[in-house]
């Protein structure tokens, strides 16, 4: 995703596409992920993990390189929708496999390694792709396609070849069991997309240079990379809900302080603590799925988790930008902060029901 997402926006901007259409193109991607989850869950139950995940990787590898081969805005929307569906295939399958094949004693750290791998790839993608993009945009997308295709080899070598039986489950029943986990997925997507999409704009309006903005986001990424494995390890040892509650409390303080900080050093400090406390929320919320559902229900739970996360990513920038326009730029993280306050209260309410965690 780190190779495709930023360079799609760059390519469209270079062809002087309206900012609203560029944003809408990203929205289509996340909506395709969200709306494609019921289809993926159904196919997964019928053909299995390996085959479904391979289908998604092949679809992404074939569709993504088409993006720089056209200048038609309508085709860009079609290609992005197909990419979203493809991404949905291997997101749902990958997350289902994580919870299916791991053990209760290591579920949090397994999901932590998954989140760490995603963050590293997302961070390295723009760095690796930028050099190729300056030569030709097609090269960057071709490299991304090759990397995705290599995932097919990894799936067939590394994914255990075991019989996996998934049964269709009531979406209402799944939702009730996963209320806390799904709330965490939505809040995480909302905050992450707001941070990535709008915080650079906020810093520019505060007269920060492009170099300073880049450094700030590097600090944020480093915070997440350093914290994810230790935090998820502690979650396995001391309880997922306890560690999740601590992370969320630190996050609320950090993310609100980030919008109030007025000097560069303070911003760097809170960027680090925001990254360190926000990034583990995703794997911890994902790990809770395995605690709440039977193995037969994991495909439905993972599909719902991916859909809710995508809706959060879609809603974050839109709603936060409205708040910024109505009130002030410093209210950029007010909605995200409110979501995590409500999440914190829900965790506190849930703890007596999960003493084993």
């Amino acid at each position: 995703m780190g190779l495709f997402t930023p360079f799609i926006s760059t390519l469209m901007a270079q062809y002087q596409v309206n900012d609203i259409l560029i944003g809408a193109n990203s929205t289509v991607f996340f909506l395709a992920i969200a709306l494609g989850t019921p289809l993926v869950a159904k196919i997964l139950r019928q053909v299995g993990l390996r085959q479904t995940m391979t289908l998604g990787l092949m679809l992404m590898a074939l569709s993504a390189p088409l993006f720089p081969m056209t200048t038609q805005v309508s085709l860009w929307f079609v290609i992005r929708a197909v990419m979203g569906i493809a991404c949905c295939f291997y997101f749902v399958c990958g997350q289902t496999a994580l919870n299916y094949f791991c053990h209760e004693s290591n579920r949090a750290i397994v999901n932590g390694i998954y989140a760490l791998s995603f963050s590293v790839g997302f961070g390295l993608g723009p760095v690796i792709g930028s050099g190729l993009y300056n030569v030709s945009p097609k090269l960057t997308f071709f490299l991304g396609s090759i990397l995705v295709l290599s995932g097919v080899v990894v799936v067939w070598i590394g994914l255990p070849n075991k019989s996996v039986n998934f049964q269709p489950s009531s979406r209402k029943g799944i939702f009730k069991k996963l209320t806390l986990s799904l709330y965490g997925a939505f809040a995480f997507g909302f905050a992450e997309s707001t941070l990535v999409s709008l915080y650079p704009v906020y810093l520019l309006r505060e007269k920060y240079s492009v170099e300073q903005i880049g450094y700030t986001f590097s600090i944020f990424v480093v915070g997440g990379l350093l914290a994810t494995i230790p935090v998820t390890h502690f979650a396995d040892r001391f309880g997922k809900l306890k560690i999740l509650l601590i992370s969320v409390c630190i996050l609320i303080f950090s993310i609100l302080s980030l919008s109030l900080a007025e000097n560069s050093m303070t911003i760097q400090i809170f960027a680090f603590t925001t990254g360190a406390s926000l990034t583990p929320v995703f794997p911890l919320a994902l790990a809770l799925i395995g605690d709440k559902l039977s193995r037969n229900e994991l495909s439905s739970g993972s599909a719902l988790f991916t859909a809710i996360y995508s809706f959060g990513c879609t809603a974050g920038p839109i709603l936060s930008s409205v708040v910024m326009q109505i009130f002030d730029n410093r209210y950029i993280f007010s909605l995200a902060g409110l979501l995590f306050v409500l999440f914190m209260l829900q965790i506190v309410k849930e703890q007596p029901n999960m003493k084993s965690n």
Side-chain angles (χ1 to χ4, degrees):
M1 286 185 70
L3 272 170
F4 297 137
T5 303
F7 294 112
I8 284 176
S9 297
T10 302
L11 184 70
M12 294 180 73
Q14 287 179 333
Y15 280 98
Q16 299 181 337
V17 176
N18 185 280
D19 287 347
I20 295 177
L21 289 177
I22 295 176
N25 190 265
S26 295
T27 299
V28 164
F29 176 72
F30 285 113
L31 281 177
I33 295 176
L35 298 177
T37 53
L39 172 65
V40 175
K42 184 177 181 179
I43 294 176
L44 195 159
R45 289 191 292 269
Q46 292 178 345
V47 304
L49 275 170
R50 274 188 175 183
Q51 293 78 1
T52 308
M53 199 165 186
T54 298
L55 176 62
L57 292 167
M58 293 291 293
L59 188 60
M60 178 65 87
L62 293 173
S63 60
L66 298 177
F67 207 94
M69 294 183 183
T70 181
T71 58
Q72 295 293 318
V73 174
S74 57
L75 286 179
W76 277 338
F77 274 84
V78 173
I79 294 170
R80 201 71 190 277
V82 174
M83 290 174 67
I85 294 172
C87 192
C88 178
F89 269 72
Y90 55 81
F91 264 19
V92 172
C93 291
Q95 292 167 6
T96 299
L98 284 174
N99 275 312
Y100 191 90
F101 291 114
C102 70
H103 302 288
E104 179 60 34
S105 61
N106 65 4
R107 178 168 282 120
I109 197 168
V110 165
N111 283 283
I113 294 171
Y114 166 75
L116 179 67
S117 302
F118 184 89
S119 298
V120 171
F122 202 89
L124 287 179
V127 176
I128 296 172
S130 57
L132 291 174
Y133 189 90
N134 290 330
V135 178
S136 170
K138 293 179 182 178
L139 287 177
T140 296
F141 285 81
F142 180 73
L143 173 62
S145 178
I146 295 298
L147 288 173
V148 170
L149 279 176
S150 71
V152 175
V153 179
V154 174
V155 166
W156 283 89
I157 293 176
L159 193 63
N161 188 22
K162 296 180 180 179
S163 177
V164 179
N165 297 315
F166 295 117
Q167 300 298 325
S169 306
S170 164
R171 178 150 292 210
K172 182 179 179 181
I174 296 290
F175 195 95
K176 186 177 180 180
K177 291 180 182 179
L178 297 182
T179 300
L180 184 66
S181 184
L182 296 177
Y183 193 101
F186 183 86
F188 177 85
F190 191 102
E192 181 189 47
S193 60
T194 300
L195 188 75
V196 172
S197 301
L198 297 181
Y199 195 56
V201 178
Y202 169 82
L203 290 176
L204 280 173
R205 291 174 179 173
E206 294 295 314
K207 310 301 181 184
Y208 284 85
S209 67
V210 174
E211 290 76 14
Q212 288 175 311
I213 295 172
Y215 182 71
T216 300
F217 275 89
S218 297
I219 293 293
F220 170 80
V221 172
V222 168
L225 294 179
L226 292 178
T228 299
I229 297 301
V231 170
T232 50
H233 169 71
F234 289 139
D236 280 327
R237 185 172 180 181
F238 300 110
K240 299 179 188 67
L241 288 182
K242 293 184 182 71
I243 301 301
L244 182 59
L245 179 60
I246 293 171
S247 293
V248 170
C249 289
I250 296 173
L251 174 59
I252 292 168
F253 176 76
S254 299
I255 201 169
L256 295 179
S257 298
L258 196 59
S259 60
L260 299 174
E262 295 184 349
N263 65 76
S264 181
M265 180 60 71
T266 307
I267 286 177
Q268 310 310 326
I269 292 172
F270 287 121
F272 180 87
T273 57
T274 297
S277 54
L278 175 62
T279 306
V281 170
F282 184 89
L284 291 177
L286 184 60
L288 288 174
I289 292 178
D291 292 341
K292 285 288 192 176
L293 301 182
S294 67
R295 286 194 167 192
N296 289 341
E297 297 173 316
L298 284 177
S299 60
S300 298
S302 296
L304 192 56
F305 184 90
T306 301
I308 297 298
Y309 163 73
S310 300
F311 281 128
C313 289
T314 304
I318 297 173
L319 297 180
S320 296
S321 61
V322 171
V323 170
M324 290 170 69
Q325 287 185 351
I326 294 176
F327 297 102
D328 183 78
N329 287 337
R330 292 192 177 277
Y331 287 85
I332 178 173
F333 296 126
S334 58
L335 289 180
L338 178 60
L339 281 175
F340 279 108
V341 168
L342 295 175
F343 187 38
M344 176 190 68
L345 296 175
Q346 189 65 35
I347 296 171
V348 172
K349 180 181 178 182
E350 187 82 8
Q351 275 193 308
N353 300 324
M354 294 186 67
K355 290 182 180 179
S356 60
N357 278 330

